[in-house]
Amino acid sequence: MSLFSRRRLSAIIFAGLFFFLFLSFRSLNSGDLSSTYSYPATDGSQQIGTGDSGYWARYIPHYPPSSLRPLPTGKPSALPKVQTTFKTESPTDREVRLKRQAAVKDVFLRCWDSYRSKAWLSDELSPITGQKRGHFGGWGATLVDSLDTLWIMGFRREFEEAVTAAATISFKTTNLNEISVFETNIRYLGGFLSAYDLSGDRRLLQKAKEVGDMLYVAFDTPNRMPVTRWDIHGSARHQMQMADAHVLLAEIGSFSLEFIRLSLLTKDPKWFDAVQRITELLHEQQNSTQLPGMWPVIVNARNEKFGDHYDYTLGAMADSAYEYLPKTYALMGGLLPEYKEMYEVSMNTAIQHNIFRPLVPDSKDILISGMASVRGKNGEHHVRLRPEGQHLGCFTGGMIALGGKLVQNQTHVETGAKLTDGCVWAYKVSPLGIMPETFYTVPCESKDHCPWDENKWMDGVLEMSGLGNNNANGNNDVTRDDVQAFIKKKNIPKGFTYVPDGRYILRPEAIESVFILYRVTGRKDLLESAWDMFTAIEENTRTELASSALADVMVEKNPPKSDSMESFWFGETLKYFYLVFGETDAISLDEWVFNTEAHPLKRLLPA
């Protein structure tokens, strides 16, 4: 079989695997807890979950837990400081920064006004046609996702109007056949909890409990593992259910921040119990997977086997399961040390097998996080790297920098900085100044030394292009001119070898890591990078009404728009842009922790 035939076969196999994944989908030692700590409590003057709002709270489970794990009762520790000490800025720097922040605020308000006038209480506004969309339960995803952003940006009148509207949302039913428990948790439950933590408006805590009660029903299975793609209508008819045998790691491993915070605020341990059952399994099986230290993208929730699959990544399908490890440790003030342990073990494995240095023209010392696949037979396993960069995976820089500060591991902090720089680089070299959804590079043989080699880069382009299967000569004899023509036709920047997905869907992950790294290090160049990113995005995504996702950012100008504006544009992307240009003590990382939808939750701190 020729080299190019093998490449084509590999591509077909990978495509089949990806399609399968797409369809399948996207007891602990808690230390010395003998002393007590007074958690925030609900105010008995206002009953939570009354009337129709208590619909899911009245659900009678088929498989009630025999006992509930109690919330920790120790005193939170003074964890290591995350944010750097910032120097006093000059009047000129302050003026520039505040002008940039105001520009972000203007974009948010423009998009918000369009949503308010054309798609109020709908999940999304189509930013070109002005139509309403309802992909996330039909419960007003953009409204709820935006609540804390409205508060943070100082839009108090708009916030009050939005809270009043959100209080009318009924989570009793939906027009969808099934809902994503993961998305509902991070957008709705996270959104309500964050807005409550910021404002103290008890209507928001009531809505958070309503969502929490609904999501808790998805855990009513024989082994108390959740149904992640949940038939809410079947549960309303009190049908029995069981967890699935093919579940994405991110979808089962990303409940801890929201569920634990809700238990803390209500003093009801049922949500803490629900998520700790998952955490126990992850903890117990962490070092017995195909790639010890990490968990694969697919796990078996029905049989509680979390280590049999062979693909391992910090990116799509797994991402927030890892993100929540250091963040939950911070949320609980160190009262759940297993989260710290799982973070350290998983990141040490990822740094060895997933994180690589790409071959780039200026030999810049940057890193990218890819996919590691474990293959082998007869008891021998080999780990193979797929050097794919993902925009979604850009959150890793901020996560590892944050985690490194929390566990006092400078190697992690430096790794997080290089990962963030890798995403900034991908923005800068892309034709429009906007990073595509996915791209491939040539991985360096060494992270310490990687001089630019144009021939090696062109070989990488050739390997990914498939040119040998369809060149003009009808054979596999591909010339350098053929490769250069392909590079020009596809507009491939030096350093990229292939761009399988050139979209930009208004994603936040790159600016998220820029924001976190700026708060951790105080590097001024990050503010300039953030501004370059924002101006490129604003210039190319702007529509008559709002901002639109782009179908292809690998063109020189006039990128096609896809008439989509997901709620995370309001809840994440613009929030992080606003905060990076804001005062450095606003939503301090030493007092707050962001969930994966950028909803800040209050950390437990020593009295």
Side-chain angles (χ1 to χ4, degrees):
M1 184 182 293
S2 71
L3 173 63
F4 289 109
S5 296
R6 289 198 298 272
R7 288 174 187 149
R8 173 172 282 180
L9 177 60
S10 298
I12 292 172
I13 293 173
F14 172 72
L17 173 62
F18 182 83
F19 186 67
F20 166 75
L21 294 176
F22 179 78
L23 291 180
S24 297
F25 215 69
R26 172 201 326 294
S27 155
L28 294 176
N29 177 11
S30 296
D32 181 11
L33 304 178
S34 57
S35 57
T36 61
Y37 177 74
S38 179
Y39 293 112
T42 57
D43 183 352
S45 65
Q46 180 176 340
Q47 187 175 358
I48 296 176
T50 59
D52 185 62
S53 64
Y55 176 79
W56 292 107
R58 295 190 294 271
Y59 176 87
I60 301 175
H62 294 284
Y63 309 102
S66 57
S67 62
L68 295 177
R69 290 152 178 77
L71 282 160
T73 55
K75 293 180 179 180
S77 301
L79 298 183
K81 194 172 186 294
V82 172
Q83 294 206 166
T84 191
T85 300
F86 286 85
K87 298 178 181 178
T88 303
E89 63 183 337
S90 69
T92 300
D93 288 345
R94 176 177 173 79
E95 181 181 4
V96 169
R97 176 178 60 78
L98 293 179
K99 283 183 178 179
R100 292 173 173 180
Q101 187 185 46
V104 176
K105 190 173 181 179
D106 288 344
V107 171
F108 177 92
L109 186 58
R110 180 172 174 273
C111 294
W112 176 258
D113 284 344
S114 292
Y115 169 77
R116 180 180 176 276
S117 64
K118 294 184 175 296
W120 192 239
L121 281 170
S122 297
D123 286 341
E124 297 171 6
L125 167 71
S126 298
I128 298 175
T129 60
Q131 300 298 308
K132 302 175 182 179
R133 291 187 177 184
H135 301 313
F136 295 101
W139 300 313
T142 292
L143 179 75
V144 179
D145 240 355
S146 302
L147 290 171
D148 54 6
T149 311
L150 287 166
W151 182 272
I152 289 168
M153 290 187 178
F155 292 122
R156 295 295 189 267
R157 180 179 60 81
E158 290 84 355
F159 175 81
E160 174 60 29
E161 180 183 45
V163 172
T164 300
T168 69
I169 297 172
S170 171
F171 292 95
K172 184 176 180 180
T173 189
T174 175
N175 57 1
L176 301 181
N177 292 328
E178 63 180 19
I179 66 167
S180 167
V181 174
F182 166 77
E183 295 288 357
T184 305
N185 175 59
I186 66 172
R187 299 189 193 222
Y188 290 103
L189 181 53
F192 283 129
L193 287 171
S194 177
Y196 172 72
D197 269 349
L198 288 163
S199 70
D201 190 319
R202 295 193 53 78
R203 292 174 295 175
L204 295 164
L205 182 56
Q206 176 169 330
K207 299 309 290 186
K209 186 177 182 299
E210 290 174 30
V211 177
D213 285 332
M214 176 181 67
L215 294 178
Y216 190 68
V217 177
F219 287 73
D220 183 26
T221 63
N223 63 355
R224 302 300 301 175
M225 292 294 106
V227 180
T228 56
R229 300 303 175 98
W230 180 43
D231 178 7
I232 185 175
H233 307 290
S235 290
R237 295 190 296 270
H238 212 240
Q239 294 177 354
M240 300 176 78
Q241 60 190 7
M242 64 175 58
D244 198 78
H246 301 281
V247 176
L248 294 183
L249 177 64
E251 291 193 328
I252 196 172
S254 307
F255 292 102
S256 56
L257 289 178
E258 299 84 1
F259 273 37
I260 293 176
R261 187 61 184 154
L262 183 58
S263 278
L264 292 175
L265 291 170
T266 62
K267 285 193 170 181
D268 186 339
K270 71 178 185 181
W271 294 286
F272 174 76
D273 173 79
V275 74
Q276 283 301 104
R277 292 172 187 269
I278 299 170
T279 301
E280 288 170 6
L281 291 173
L282 291 170
H283 192 213
E284 291 167 3
Q285 300 181 39
Q286 182 171 18
N287 292 314
S288 60
T289 66
Q290 298 288 332
L291 188 63
M294 296 180 69
W295 304 274
V297 297
I298 298 290
V299 299
N300 188 330
R302 183 173 299 174
N303 294 334
E304 300 182 1
K305 292 184 177 180
F306 286 10
D308 291 345
H309 203 265
Y310 41 79
D311 284 335
Y312 295 76
T313 181
L314 298 178
M317 302 180 286
D319 50 317
S320 49
Y322 295 101
E323 177 188 358
Y324 276 27
L325 298 178
K327 290 185 173 182
T328 303
Y329 176 67
L331 178 79
M332 291 299 292
L335 292 176
L336 296 172
E338 62 270 22
Y339 285 91
K340 174 187 176 183
E341 177 188 339
M342 289 190 291
Y343 163 76
E344 291 181 294
V345 172
S346 62
M347 288 308 105
N348 290 338
T349 300
I351 288 171
Q352 179 181 355
H353 294 291
N354 295 82
I355 295 173
F356 67 96
R357 181 174 176 174
L359 181 69
V360 295
D362 59 358
S363 302
K364 188 175 179 62
D365 189 7
I366 59 176
L367 296 173
I368 291 174
S369 180
M371 171 84 79
S373 295
V374 180
R375 297 291 190 273
K377 57 183 178 181
N378 300 325
E380 293 186 4
H381 287 182
H382 303 280
V383 181
R384 183 171 132 189
L385 173 70
R386 189 162 78 233
E388 178 190 45
Q390 301 176 353
H391 197 296
L392 184 147
C394 282
F395 85 95
T396 55
M399 171 188 68
I400 298 178
L402 174 70
K405 294 294 287 187
L406 288 168
V407 304
Q408 296 183 297
N409 186 320
Q410 187 59 26
T411 297
H412 284 199
V413 176
E414 293 169 1
T415 298
K418 292 179 181 181
L419 283 164
T420 303
D421 290 339
C423 290
V424 170
W425 167 81
Y427 263 79
K428 288 182 177 180
V429 301
S430 297
L432 299 174
I434 303 174
M435 177 183 175
E437 184 78 354
T438 61
F439 65 92
Y440 281 80
T441 71
V442 176
C444 299
E445 295 178 3
S446 169
K447 290 180 182 178
D448 299 321
H449 181 67
C450 189
W452 173 248
D453 185 329
E454 186 122 354
N455 288 328
K456 184 179 289 188
W457 169 62
M458 293 188 73
D459 288 342
V461 175
L462 173 60
E463 182 178 356
M464 298 300 299
S465 68
L467 283 172
N469 294 312
N470 53 23
N471 71 345
N473 299 325
N475 55 45
N476 291 339
D477 297 328
V478 181
T479 68
R480 277 289 181 264
D481 288 341
D482 293 329
V483 178
Q484 289 172 346
F486 178 83
I487 291 170
K488 183 177 181 180
K489 178 182 178 181
K490 297 295 185 180
N491 213 19
I492 299 175
K494 286 188 176 183
F496 287 14
T497 58
Y498 180 54
V499 180
D501 190 344
R503 295 175 300 151
Y504 172 67
I505 60 172
L506 304 177
R507 280 200 180 277
E509 294 83 9
I511 185 58
E512 171 185 351
S513 284
V514 169
F515 160 71
I516 293 174
L517 188 62
Y518 177 64
R519 290 290 185 89
V520 167
T521 66
R523 280 173 39 188
K524 287 188 175 182
D525 65 291
L526 293 169
L527 292 180
E528 298 308 313
S529 295
W531 182 243
D532 290 343
M533 293 162 63
F534 174 75
T535 53
I537 292 169
E538 162 62 2
E539 177 183 348
N540 288 283
T541 65
R542 186 181 182 91
T543 70
E544 184 177 342
L545 294 174
S547 300
S548 173
L550 304 176
D552 186 6
V553 298
M554 301 309 293
V555 297
E556 290 294 337
K557 59 182 179 179
N558 300 322
K561 296 180 174 68
S562 53
D563 199 21
S564 172
M565 183 174 63
E566 283 207 42
S567 65
F568 55 62
W569 173 242
F570 297 86
E572 297 188 71
T573 311
L574 292 175
K575 181 187 296 164
Y576 281 128
F577 274 120
Y578 181 83
L579 286 172
V580 79
F581 297 123
E583 304 302 326
T584 55
D585 59 352
I587 318 296
S588 169
L589 297 180
D590 291 309
E591 299 173 0
W592 299 81
V593 62
F594 288 82
N595 86 335
T596 197
E597 193 74 5
H599 296 307
L601 304 173
K602 281 185 178 178
R603 291 173 48 177
L604 293 186
L605 301 172

